Amino acid sequence: MTRISPRYLLQFDEPAGYLDFARFGPPSHAVLDTTARLLEDATVAGPSTVDELMRQETRAKAAAARLCGSDTDHTVLLPHTSLGLFQAAFNSPGGEVLVSAAEFPANTYPWARAEQAGLVKVRRLEGGPVTADRLAAALTPEITTVSVSAVDFRTGYRADLAALREVTGDRLLVVDGIQGFGVTEAPWEVADVLVVGGQKWLRAGWGTGFAVLSDRALERMDPILSGWTGARDPGLFDNEIHPADATAAGWSISNLSPITSGAFAAALELVEEAGVGAIAGRIAERVGSLEDVLRSCGAEIVSATERRAGILAFTLPGHPAEQVGAALASAGIAATVRPEHVRLSPHASTPVAAADQLRTALETLTRPRKPLSVVPPAASGSATPELLSALVPAVDGLAAMLGPGNEVLLHDLSRLPDSIVAIAGDLTGRTVGGPMTDLLLGLVRRGTTQDLTNYRTHGPDGRAIRSSTLFLRDAAGVAVGCLCVNSELPGAAQSETPQETFPPDVDSLQRFLVTRAIGKAGIPVELMKKRHKAAVVRELDEAGFFLIKDAVDHLAGQLDVTRYTIYNYLNEIRG
């Protein structure tokens, strides 16, 4: 186990399940205390208070420069990475710039806007990580600048900056270091422009960041985006426009908050004290532990496994990312959920217990719940597909035996919600690949997998139907499917308010469930408070709505909230 300063670890109090540092890093006590102290100083300001506060900028610049192997003349503080990249784009010497198409938008928009302004021409490097070989193949004499991320935000791939520098040659190399600085050992000095935000792995809070410029960058880049604090003699108010300062200070636009600068300095000094190598080593151990858990639960790792930093992305076959994210949130695990995968990102302060917490959360998906007795195929044994496959031919025969006015269906519960694998008859107008009814979905979600026989319901056109549902179980007694028989009741009265709906497709089921839940809340969405929206989420959770792919995104749009708000509601409800 990597040794790391106990004082460093005692600075943090985030929950064990917080695994989302690639999105935001909860600040340390040092950052909190520094912010409070400086704010307190500001509230009782005296003659020298402002000057003393402004010295926090120099303190933060000095700490950033030390960690980069540079000095304060080549360092400038910034409020965020985006501004630094915009300045790199608008201050660039022109020509063509090569940017990976797979970059985080903060890296692509600045160059696109600079191209709109006629300052550069953008060439996109398509597909895959930015390696020295791919870069060498894409370079042309017209390219003057290469812009890359030190760590890819999706895959965690850690670029070989030294190799990229060698291939780039005398061109400018712009590096976004936000996903790696302070937690990976890298030759940051090879970058001509290194831009880093402090709100993620540096754990300094929002509004913090810096850029370090090489001599080559200072020589070739014209600081167009430069304000009065970036000018020579910024304190000389002589009604003249002064030229930009020749140092990195020329990239300054205005004074930043000295309170934020002090907090940033405290965060950087913590990294110095603990040592980047120790932090990186501890993160690598945590990533390894989480990876072991994921693989043991049947997950597929879709992030880099060789040159990687602290990002671990995965998919769980048979379960959409939104469903996995909901299970993690319910277990108190913070993660980034994207349509294509779930991303985990631990830090040095992440405890060993986080791996066990992750295993417990995933087992709610990969093992049968109690009392819910439904499992995916991987956990239910090889007999499951054989059992259902053997019954598929019987569906047509059973329907033929029952005669007209009858319908027979076979559901595979591992395919929820579009679970129909065989159907004969058209009483409810559904087809193979269609979903189960809202009634059956709710029963499965709540774990009520007892057989239902001869209950009355009504079809999509209001006709009275007598239905029976028999749950099919494997050798272990786990429900893996169900056989349903629907029979028309001639002469029975039709119903205008069916107690069960037979949606033709998953989208229809999704819309029906949301409309019903909102209707039960009894208040228009635009007038809903948190308690009303939480009630809608509770109703839908009990109905099995979140077993539907993209359900979280759909509901977030209907309730006019973010997907993370939905996850928070689920966490509160299931907790």
Side-chain angles (χ1 to χ4, degrees), residues 273-548:
E273 179 182 334
V276 174
I279 294 173
R282 181 63 68 94
I283 290 174
E285 291 171 359
R286 296 297 179 261
V287 170
S289 297
L290 296 176
E291 181 180 0
D292 290 343
V293 169
L294 291 173
R295 292 190 186 278
S296 71
C297 291
E300 296 180 0
I301 306 302
V302 297
S303 53
T305 56
E306 297 299 327
R307 292 192 59 87
R308 68 179 176 191
I311 289 174
L312 183 62
F314 72 96
T315 61
L316 192 63
H319 301 277
E322 290 83 356
Q323 186 184 30
V324 177
L328 295 181
S330 179
I333 294 177
T336 292
V337 181
R338 302 193 185 280
E340 67 276 12
H341 65 237
V342 176
R343 186 185 72 183
L344 304 177
S345 46
H347 208 290
S349 59
T350 300
V352 175
D356 293 332
Q357 193 170 343
L358 175 64
R359 185 186 302 278
T360 300
L362 294 180
E363 284 178 350
T364 65
L365 298 173
T366 59
R367 290 184 181 176
R369 293 184 184 181
K370 294 181 181 181
L372 184 62
S373 297
V374 181
V375 298
S380 59
S382 59
T384 300
E386 295 176 5
L387 171 64
L388 297 179
S389 297
L391 286 174
V392 169
V395 170
D396 283 325
L398 183 57
M401 181 182 69
L402 294 173
N406 292 282
E407 178 183 76
V408 180
L409 302 90
L410 182 64
H411 290 278
D412 181 350
L413 298 186
S414 73
R415 299 173 180 266
L416 289 174
D418 43 355
S419 56
I420 298 177
V421 293
I423 184 169
D426 59 0
L427 193 59
T428 60
R430 292 176 291 168
T431 60
V432 170
M436 59 177 52
T437 68
D438 62 309
L439 175 64
L440 184 54
L441 183 65
L443 292 174
V444 171
R445 170 64 183 88
R446 293 190 294 274
T448 309
T449 54
Q450 288 78 30
D451 296 343
L452 300 175
T453 56
N454 294 324
Y455 68 93
R456 281 192 56 160
T457 184
H458 293 83
D461 56 3
R463 282 185 294 175
I465 294 175
R466 183 179 67 247
S467 293
S468 293
T469 297
L470 306 178
F471 283 92
L472 307 171
R473 305 176 189 278
D474 64 10
V478 175
V480 295
C482 52
L483 184 68
C484 301
V485 178
N486 300 315
S487 303
E488 183 180 1
L489 295 175
Q494 292 191 348
S495 172
E496 296 181 359
T497 56
Q499 63 189 64
E500 183 175 14
T501 185
F502 297 85
D505 51 53
V506 174
D507 289 343
S508 299
L509 175 60
Q510 192 175 54
R511 288 193 297 270
F512 169 79
L513 292 173
V514 171
T515 300
R516 184 179 67 181
I518 291 176
K520 286 185 177 181
I523 185 171
V525 171
E526 58 270 20
L527 298 179
M528 284 185 176
K529 304 297 184 183
K530 177 183 176 180
R531 67 179 185 277
H532 302 117
K533 295 181 179 181
V536 171
V537 172
R538 181 185 298 276
E539 169 75 18
L540 289 172
D541 188 32
E542 293 177 353
F545 174 78
F546 295 104
L547 297 174
I548 301 174

Side-chain angles (χ1 to χ4, degrees), residues 30-31 34-35 37-38 53 56-57 59-60 257-267 269:
V31 168
T34 300
T35 301
R37 177 175 58 80
L38 295 176
L53 288 173
Q56 295 298 323
E57 179 176 344
R59 176 188 169 199
S257 163
I259 296 168
T260 300
S261 297
F264 192 28
E269 289 162 1

Side-chain angles (χ1 to χ4, degrees), residues 199-242:
Q199 79 274 21
K200 299 186 179 185
W201 299 95
L202 290 176
R203 310 182 69 164
W206 281 288
T208 59
F210 69 88
V212 172
L213 312 180
S214 70
D215 289 333
R216 178 166 32 213
L218 291 174
E219 177 185 341
R220 297 184 187 177
M221 291 183 145
D222 183 13
I224 296 172
L225 295 183
S226 177
W228 72 274
T229 55
R232 296 176 190 171
D233 299 320
L236 178 61
F237 306 125
D238 56 1
N239 301 330
E240 299 292 334
I241 300 297
H242 299 179

Side-chain angles (χ1 to χ4, degrees), residues 150-162:
V151 175
D152 181 76
F153 79 104
R154 286 192 182 94
T155 67
Y157 174 78
R158 182 168 47 86
D160 187 342
L161 295 182

